[in-house]
Amino acid sequence: MTLYEAELVVDRRETAADGVLSLALRHPLGEPLPVWEPGAHIDVVVGPGLERQYSLCGDPAGRAVWRIAVLREAGGRGGSAYVHDELEVDAKVRVRGPRNHFRLEPAARYRFVAGGIGITPILPMLAAAEQAGAEWSLLYGGRTRNSMAFVGELGRYGDRVTIAPEDESGLLDLAPVLDDVPEGTLVYCCGPGPLLDAVEARCPAGILRVERFRPKEAEPGGTDTGFEVVLARSGRTVAVPPGRSVLDAVRTAAVEVLYSCTEGTCGTCETDVLEGEPDHRDAVLTDEERAAGETMLICVSRCRGRRLVLDL
């Protein structure tokens, strides 16, 4: 699939919360931007060979601008600092996308849980659920009320939204949201790892959809032994030794492949598997997708046997 890629211009720049910057990006010639669905993100080039993924959090029906919100991370690798410090109004930035591994599936009821900047992919989902006439609620937590983005926008939904800053009410109380979930309900959650782990531990099987901003801790039983990868379209076979990723091996063989985060969180390098059993180590694919074994994220995932055949 060919993704849209363009140099966009910062149209608006606003403070969404303490440490959170909201940017509206437009095409320099006013051309309409591609359509997208709730849960989608774009890649933002923040330096040579350096990209970051940010969720689209505006109106999917509005094609004049794309809105993202970026938390300044004190211990980050420079991506958020670049956005906060360099992307003033009228500044240009290269983007790619949109891409979506966190789609809002049809359901009669939704329970949304967001932590901190994890509100960004959830925000357009609320509008979509509202438009579809679904029953829904949102539990939204953060360190302080002032650090929680878009609280003002959420006010229009009334008591379906529970704002729960940690300094006012402690850690999020998940019991009212996740205990006794009615049939036909899907749970969507985005936020820091500990919140996602707590929601996963409490949720009935099959109803939870999550998006992680950080890699999930590797499950026990994985192996780092070497294996070979056959690149079906390129007619080449490459060795993947212990401690080296499939992505690295493929790139060394001069085979072109899209990639970005190299941590198994963005989905850019998802590749079709033609033969073999992947050892999935990403934070993107669902349990059903992992069981099917039809695709894998080659930046982190490996092989459970001695050989994989990939559509590359």
Side-chain angles (χ1 to χ4, degrees), residues 35-297:
V35 297
W36 57 279
E37 297 178 353
H41 68 260
I42 58 173
D43 303 329
V44 177
V45 179
V46 296
L50 185 62
E51 301 176 9
R52 293 291 179 266
Q53 289 70 46
Y54 298 112
S55 297
L56 292 170
C57 57
D59 178 8
R63 300 184 61 186
V65 297
W66 279 345
R67 184 174 73 165
I68 61 174
V70 181
L71 170 68
R72 181 188 284 274
E73 299 185 74
R77 294 176 293 172
S80 66
Y82 171 86
V83 173
H84 277 253
D85 298 337
E86 303 295 332
L87 294 187
E88 300 290 345
V89 172
D90 293 332
K92 294 181 179 180
V93 61
R94 180 153 291 275
V95 304
R96 183 192 302 122
R99 188 183 289 108
N100 200 339
H101 291 275
F102 193 43
R103 296 184 186 278
L104 185 68
E105 302 171 25
R109 302 173 195 83
Y110 298 99
R111 294 190 176 175
F112 299 102
V113 181
I117 199 63
I119 190 62
T120 50
I122 299 293
L123 202 60
M125 292 185 179
L126 305 182
E130 181 84 350
Q131 186 175 11
E135 177 187 323
W136 65 268
S137 65
L138 167 67
L139 176 62
Y140 178 22
R143 292 181 294 103
T144 66
R145 191 174 295 269
N146 288 341
S147 72
M148 299 169 66
F150 306 119
V151 169
E153 289 187 23
L154 292 169
R156 68 177 182 268
Y157 295 122
D159 60 6
R160 280 173 294 177
V161 174
T162 301
I163 305 295
E166 186 176 348
D167 65 337
E168 297 177 19
S169 51
L171 295 176
L172 285 181
D173 182 7
L174 298 175
V177 178
L178 301 180
D179 290 356
D180 302 318
V181 177
E183 186 176 349
T185 302
L186 289 180
V187 178
Y188 278 78
C189 181
C190 186
L195 172 62
L196 298 182
D197 293 341
V199 171
E200 283 184 339
R202 196 152 200 151
C203 241
I207 70 168
L208 177 62
R209 309 291 184 266
V210 302
E211 182 169 64
R212 291 181 178 269
F213 295 141
R214 294 288 182 271
K216 189 175 181 180
E217 188 174 337
E219 296 181 4
T223 176
D224 283 329
T225 57
F227 54 95
E228 70 174 20
V229 174
V230 179
L231 309 178
R233 281 191 280 123
S234 303
R236 305 194 62 175
T237 299
V238 298
V240 182
R244 191 177 195 188
S245 70
V246 176
L247 175 63
D248 284 343
V250 169
R251 293 185 63 223
T252 300
V255 174
E256 199 169 311
V257 59
L258 282 177
Y259 69 97
S260 182
C261 73
T262 70
E263 295 181 331
T265 59
C266 75
T268 304
C269 68
E270 185 176 359
T271 301
D272 288 341
V273 178
L274 304 181
E275 293 180 30
E277 183 183 1
D279 178 8
H280 296 290
R281 303 185 182 189
D282 65 275
V284 172
L285 299 180
T286 64
D287 290 340
E288 293 78 9
E289 289 169 331
R290 291 177 177 220
E294 296 175 352
T295 68
M296 66 183 290
L297 271 65

Side-chain angles (χ1 to χ4, degrees), residues 58 149 267 307:
R307 182 175 180 266

